[in-house]
């Protein structure tokens, strides 16, 4: 890799992945990434994306991810995203982007959320844009819907809205009392990307209308549970919500699933822990990997018990993360 551009990087941002407790699943407007339902998530500290940027004199943007130059199709996608920042600033220069994820990419661990959130924050800094975080969340949403939530720390709400102006994210409450343990059951890139899965269920699942209605109710109940600091209710709603989301894939005219045998086994292990007196809950996004929601103070014990089933390199502990971070820098190399 040619490091000459990395040594010139002037803009740097970090954003954490977020795990939805009430899922975003399905778009009613593809170009603006407007969701059918509002969602609510928890930002994590130990799963994040670092992104550095600088201008360059070439005719096209250059995009590296984890030290590897990305194909033209992915680079053009990033270029379309950056066009919003070029229009706002009036600067037409092409950009060199280098991003590093601290966790597996495209494996159902919200790497696109932290990736586009970090990119949006770094672009705001590079283009010297004076915009509020609410409006930055609207821009991040255009890259990857759930990226709007990764700009903020703790528990975060994404209001579905009805148009570009009304679909944005904002923080709800701190999450310092809670933690998550990511069980990495399969680190490979998933066969059906989330965008394709959403489109499939919106157009072909008999269960999708019920999902939209129930997700709205889950959002209201989850918000109340978080504000009441009701750990048990938060976990119960999160488990039920993710299972209803996955039910939409089975209800498609062309059924599919993101779950694997190891996913079902891990879910049962979590239930077994609860029966034995350790109160933990699971949630799972569009992928096979399980996220275990627990109290912060019990995370070490949960890890100890889970080590009976999973190797250490398959467990990613995380506490509540902060909002995006900016840093002025001279050069950037996270390898």
């Amino acid at each position: 890799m040619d490091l000459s551009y990395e040594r010139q990087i002037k803009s740097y941002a970090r954003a954490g992945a977020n795990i939805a407790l009430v899922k975003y699943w399905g778009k009613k407007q593809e170009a603006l990434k407007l969701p059918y339902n509002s969602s609510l998530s928890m930002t994590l500290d130990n799963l994040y994306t670092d992104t550095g940027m600088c201008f360059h004199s070439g005719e096209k943007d250059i995009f590296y991810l984890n030290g590897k130059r990305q194909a033209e199709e992915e680079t053009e996608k990033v270029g379309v995203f950056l066009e919003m920042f070029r229009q706002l600033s009036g600067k037409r220069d092409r950009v060199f982007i280098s991003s590093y994820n601290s966790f597996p990419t495209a494996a159902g661990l919200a790497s696109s959320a932290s990736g586009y959130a970090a990119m949006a924050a770094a672009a705001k800094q590079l283009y010297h844009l004076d915009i509020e975080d609410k409006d930055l969340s609207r821009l991040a949403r255009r890259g990857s819907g759930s990226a709007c939530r990764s700009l903020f720390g703790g528990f975060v709400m994404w209001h579905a809205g009805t148009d570009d102006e009304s679909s944005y994210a904002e923080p709800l409450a701190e999450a310092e009392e809670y933690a998550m343990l990511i069980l990495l059951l399969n680190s490979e890139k998933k066969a059906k990307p989330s965008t394709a899965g959403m489109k499939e269920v919106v157009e072909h699942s008999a269960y999708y209308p019920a999902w939209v209605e129930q997700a709205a109710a889950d959002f209201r109940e989850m918000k109340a549970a978080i504000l009441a600091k009701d750990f048990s209710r938060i976990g119960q709603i999160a488990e039920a919500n993710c299972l209803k989301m996955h039910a939409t894939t089975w209800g498609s005219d062309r059924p599919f699933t993101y779950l694997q045998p190891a996913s079902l086994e891990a879910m049962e292990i979590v239930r077994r822990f609860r029966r034995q007196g350790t109160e933990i809950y699971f949630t799972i996004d569009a992928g096979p990997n399980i996220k275990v929601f627990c109290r912060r103070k019990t995370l070490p014990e949960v890890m100890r018990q889970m080590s009976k089933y999973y190797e250490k390199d398959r467990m990613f502990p995380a506490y509540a993360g902060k909002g995006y971070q900016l840093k002025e820098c001279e050069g950037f190399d996270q390898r």
Side-chain angles (χ1 to χ4, degrees), residues 221-235:
E221 290 189 31
M222 181 64 80
K223 181 179 177 181
I226 287 171
L227 294 177
K229 297 186 177 181
D230 188 340
F231 169 72
S232 299
R233 189 67 186 129
I234 294 170

Side-chain angles (χ1 to χ4, degrees), residues 189-230:
K189 188 173 182 179
K190 54 195 177 187
K192 187 184 287 289
S194 300
T195 297
M198 290 184 193
K199 183 176 175 61
E200 177 73 24
V201 299
V202 169
E203 295 178 355
H204 299 288
S205 179
Y207 299 159
Y208 193 74
W211 156 260
V212 175
E213 181 179 352
Q214 184 60 49
D218 288 347
F219 179 81
R220 293 190 296 269
E221 290 189 31
M222 181 64 80
K223 181 179 177 181
I226 287 171
L227 294 177
K229 297 186 177 181
D230 188 340

Side-chain angles (χ1 to χ4, degrees), residues 5 8 54-62 93-96:
Y5 284 126
Q8 299 175 40
C54 66
F55 294 119
H56 75 91
S57 58
E59 297 182 357
K60 295 184 178 181
D61 296 311
I62 300 172
D93 307 64
R94 299 296 103 174
V95 176
F96 170 85

Side-chain angles (χ1 to χ4, degrees), residues 10-11 53-55 91 95 121-129:
K10 304 295 184 183
S11 171
M53 287 185 181
C54 66
F55 294 119
K91 297 179 181 178
V95 176
K124 171 188 174 179
Q125 185 183 45
L126 183 68
Y127 286 97
H128 299 290
L129 295 176

Side-chain angles (χ1 to χ4, degrees), residues 44-180:
L44 305 181
D45 65 345
N46 202 29
L47 281 72
Y48 57 83
T49 299
D50 286 332
T51 295
M53 287 185 181
C54 66
F55 294 119
H56 75 91
S57 58
E59 297 182 357
K60 295 184 178 181
D61 296 311
I62 300 172
F63 178 37
Y64 277 80
L65 178 60
N66 297 328
K68 181 179 180 181
R69 186 163 183 169
Q70 298 300 286
E72 186 173 346
E73 180 181 359
E74 190 63 28
T75 302
E76 287 181 356
K77 182 180 176 182
V78 167
V80 170
F81 176 69
L82 292 175
E83 190 62 27
M84 296 185 295
F85 295 87
R86 286 191 265 264
Q87 291 178 4
L88 288 170
S89 67
K91 297 179 181 178
R92 306 306 303 169
D93 307 64
R94 299 296 103 174
V95 176
F96 170 85
I97 312 106
S98 179
S99 289
Y100 292 86
N101 292 326
S102 71
F103 58 103
T105 302
L109 297 178
S111 60
S112 63
S114 58
Y116 274 99
M119 195 178 299
K124 171 188 174 179
Q125 185 183 45
L126 183 68
Y127 286 97
H128 299 290
L129 295 176
D130 183 18
I131 55 176
E132 296 182 355
D133 286 348
K134 173 183 174 181
D135 294 320
L136 185 62
S137 80
R138 292 172 43 237
L139 294 173
R141 187 199 74 229
R142 300 279 294 274
S144 173
S146 54
C148 65
R149 298 190 308 244
S150 275
L151 288 171
F152 305 98
F155 290 118
V156 184
M157 301 181 294
W158 174 14
H159 303 285
T162 57
D163 56 19
D164 182 42
E165 292 288 332
S166 58
S167 185
Y168 63 92
E170 64 175 343
L172 171 63
E174 293 184 353
E176 295 304 317
E177 297 178 26
Y178 310 108
M180 285 194 184

